[in-house]
Each structure stands twice: as structure tokens, then as C-alpha cells.
Amino acid sequence: MRQSGRRSVLLGALLLVASLAAGCGDSDSSDGGKGLEKKTLTVASLPLVDAAALHVAQQQKLFEAEGLKVQIKPVQQSIQALPALAKGDVDVIAGANYVSFLQANEKGTLKLSIVAEGASLTSNMMNVLVKANSSIKTAKDLEGKKVAVNILNNIQSLTLNAILKANNVDPSKVTYVAIPFPQMPAALEKGQVDAVHIVEPFLSDTQKKQGARVAVDGGSEPVTGLPIAGFVATQEFTSKYPKTAAAFQRAIFKAQGLATGDRKRVEEVLPTFTKIDKQVASVITLPGYPTSLNTTRMQRVIDLMTSAGLLKQKPDLKTVLFQPTS
């Protein structure tokens, strides 16, 4: 009886261990074995080439490979999604311009966490366009003129002002008007503004449909290669869901690598989240797609903002830039 009892206890223990192991296996299989704290993310995204990696990752099932399900919510301006990000209704914003969000961080509107770099400035991917018959030929000709930007005091005016100064132009003599990118072509055509500082894919589309011409290369020195947009969250999100944030970052950087190595990847997804056709997608100028989160690169943005008076003091990038612990 004593031996039979021992066998029963041993058998029961083995069954319990097997049951627990099976339970753990089910949990791991649902999130790719990563132990993610949160598996479904809502990402607000702009219809810009800056956010192409998000859609490449979705198409190539890179999120799924990390155990993530990503729901994409289209927005016209990244700043529109800022309140939702602060409240937690949106987990990440794709294509967010750094200027607006670094300013919000300084004001205390939200504690910013940059999860991944999204795009860096290349020559002719964000230009100042004018009508074909416009008298504006050079940067100097913009003095006294109205120029459309997506958001006031954002990455566009910051970079354009740096270019203007480098060409001995007084930026204070240029009047910026806030107009969302999709509405810029109509504003230029109607004469509501003299020029539009417009980004791809709207840039090439406007040139094709209206015959607009480039007055200023918005990616020229001294801002060539400058980080302009990224994937941003809050510090509350990345501290509460560090493994989830790391998984999202890995998927994005893999997608950025695919976009860098083969532009066809970007051309394929652009018509799915922008209003441009395949023909325009095949000729547009793409930004740089960084495959890492680099402190030195981001410091350029901070320094430029500080010198322009857009930041009162430089934030601690070790706090702002999300770095996985493992």
C-alpha cells in the first residue's frame, strides 16, 4: 500500500508538471515565444514615404513573426494623434515629425519615447515647389512670400530656415502657412500660397499633375541626412511594455533594411496607403531609412532646434531614445 501510494503521488506530480509545461507552450506560441506584455498595437500613420516601413513590415508579416498584431489608423498630421498618444488610445505614431514631439516633451504634454527612426532627409525628397510661371527662382526669392508647411514650427520650417540662412536669406521674412500635405497642391494652384514645402509622395504627384517646379532643394546642405521623422510612443508605454516595444522596434528596423536594400518594397506598398499610383511611386525620391536608433544623428536635430529657439534646453537623449535592455 505504501509503495502504491508513492507511485500515485509521483504520477500526480508528473501530470501537474506536464500540464504546466503545456500551458506555457500555449502562451509562448501565441506571441512567438517572446513573452510580450501586449500583443495588439494601434499605430497612427501618415500617408507619407516616412512611414513606409510600417506598411512593409505589415505586408511582409514581420510584426506577426514577432508575435504582434498591428492595427493601422490613418491620420493627416502626426500632431493630430498626439492627444490620443498621450491618453493611450494610440500606442505608436508612425512618421511623427521630431520637432513637434520634442517640443511637447519639453512642455510636459507627454513624456516622449522615440522607438525607432523612420526617415532621414535626402536631396529632393522634400522640396519647395512653385507654379511653372512663378517669379520665384531661388531661395532669396522666398522673402516676402507665403510658403505652405504641414504644421507650423515643425521639421519643415526648421530645415528650410537652416537652408535659407546658409543662402544668406532672412527666414523672418518668409511667412509660413499651415496646410496639410494632401491639400497643398490645391492651395498652390489657387494661389493661396506662393510656394509649398512638400514631401514625397505628394511632391512628385504635384509636379506630374500641375507642372510645378522646384525652387529650393529641401534636402540640401546643411540639413542633408538629418533625421526628420520617426516612430514615437510615450515613456509610460515603453516602460510598461518593454518587450512589446522591443519587438515592434525589431520589426521596423527589419522593414527599414528591406526598404533600403530594395526600393521595390516601398513602391509596392505606397499605393496601398497613399493616393499615388504605381507610376509615380516608381519615380519618387525616397528618404533614408535608418536601421538603428543613433544618438549622434538625433543630437543634430536637438542642436538645430536649440539654436533656432525651438527648445529652451536640450533633453536627455538617453531618456528619450528607447533602448531595449536585452
Side-chain angles (χ1 to χ4, degrees):
M1 291 295 292
R2 186 177 298 176
Q3 185 176 6
S4 175
R6 286 176 180 174
R7 286 177 180 175
S8 297
V9 171
L10 179 60
L11 179 61
L14 289 173
L15 289 173
L16 177 61
V17 170
S19 176
L20 290 173
C24 291
D26 290 342
S27 176
D28 286 345
S29 64
S30 65
D31 62 8
K34 305 291 191 301
L36 306 184
E37 309 91 351
K38 183 179 173 71
K39 301 170 188 175
T40 300
L41 299 182
T42 301
V43 180
S45 176
L46 281 77
L48 307 176
V49 291
D50 302 11
L54 175 69
H55 300 270
V56 171
Q58 191 83 304
Q59 183 193 65
Q60 298 299 314
K61 298 184 178 181
L62 299 180
F63 293 127
E64 185 177 320
E66 292 288 350
L68 289 172
K69 180 180 179 181
V70 171
Q71 300 172 338
I72 301 175
K73 180 180 180 180
V75 292
Q76 295 302 314
Q77 296 174 316
S78 59
I79 202 72
Q80 291 178 345
L82 195 154
L85 183 70
K87 291 179 182 178
D89 295 334
V90 166
D91 299 304
V92 180
I93 298 178
N97 90 81
Y98 292 126
V99 173
S100 297
F101 285 83
L102 285 167
Q103 286 181 318
N105 180 72
E106 183 174 74
K107 293 176 182 176
T109 305
L110 82 165
K111 290 186 177 180
L112 178 66
S113 181
I114 299 175
V115 180
E117 290 184 46
S120 59
L121 200 53
T122 57
S123 178
N124 290 311
M125 61 81 56
M126 185 168 69
N127 288 340
V128 176
L129 292 186
V130 295
K131 288 183 177 181
N133 61 354
S134 173
S135 61
I136 300 172
K137 308 289 185 182
T138 66
K140 186 68 175 177
D141 297 330
L142 290 177
E143 289 188 350
K145 301 297 192 297
K146 293 181 180 179
V147 179
V149 291
N150 194 42
I151 304 170
L152 295 179
N153 295 320
N154 76 339
I155 195 71
Q156 288 183 282
S157 54
L158 177 69
T159 54
L160 184 53
N161 283 348
I163 293 172
L164 294 177
K165 289 179 181 178
N167 286 274
N168 299 314
V169 180
D170 184 358
S172 67
K173 294 182 179 180
V174 177
T175 301
Y176 289 114
V177 181
I179 300 176
F181 287 123
Q183 299 172 25
M184 285 187 186
L188 180 64
E189 189 173 28
K190 294 177 182 178
Q192 296 173 351
V193 291
D194 302 295
V196 293
H197 194 198
I198 194 167
V199 70
E200 294 286 19
F202 302 103
L203 193 161
S204 292
D205 195 48
T206 305
Q207 287 179 298
K208 177 187 176 183
K209 293 179 179 178
Q210 295 186 22
R213 60 176 174 79
V214 177
V216 178
D217 177 359
S220 58
E221 294 296 344
V223 295
T224 305
L226 187 80
I228 56 174
F231 296 83
V232 305
T234 63
Q235 290 177 29
E236 180 182 2
F237 173 83
T238 53
S239 62
K240 186 176 182 180
Y241 310 113
K243 292 182 180 179
T244 299
F248 181 84
Q249 184 187 72
R250 286 194 298 270
I252 289 297
F253 283 148
K254 288 176 185 175
Q256 300 267 84
L258 292 176
T260 300
D262 182 6
R263 68 167 286 142
K264 289 291 184 182
R265 304 275 190 177
V266 180
E267 292 177 19
E268 289 174 3
V269 298
L270 280 177
T272 67
F273 71 99
T274 69
K275 294 183 179 180
I276 69 167
D277 55 35
K278 292 182 180 180
Q279 183 178 356
V280 174
S282 68
V283 299
I284 66 172
T285 301
L286 297 180
Y289 292 115
T291 55
S292 64
L293 197 53
N294 185 278
T295 303
T296 302
R297 279 197 301 265
M298 289 304 304
Q299 191 63 52
R300 288 184 63 193
V301 181
I302 300 297
D303 293 342
L304 194 57
M305 288 182 65
T306 305
S307 63
L310 296 179
L311 285 177
K312 293 180 180 178
Q313 57 184 9
K314 297 180 180 181
D316 180 8
L317 284 179
K318 291 181 180 179
T319 302
V320 173
L321 301 184
F322 171 69
Q323 300 290 353
T325 55
S326 61

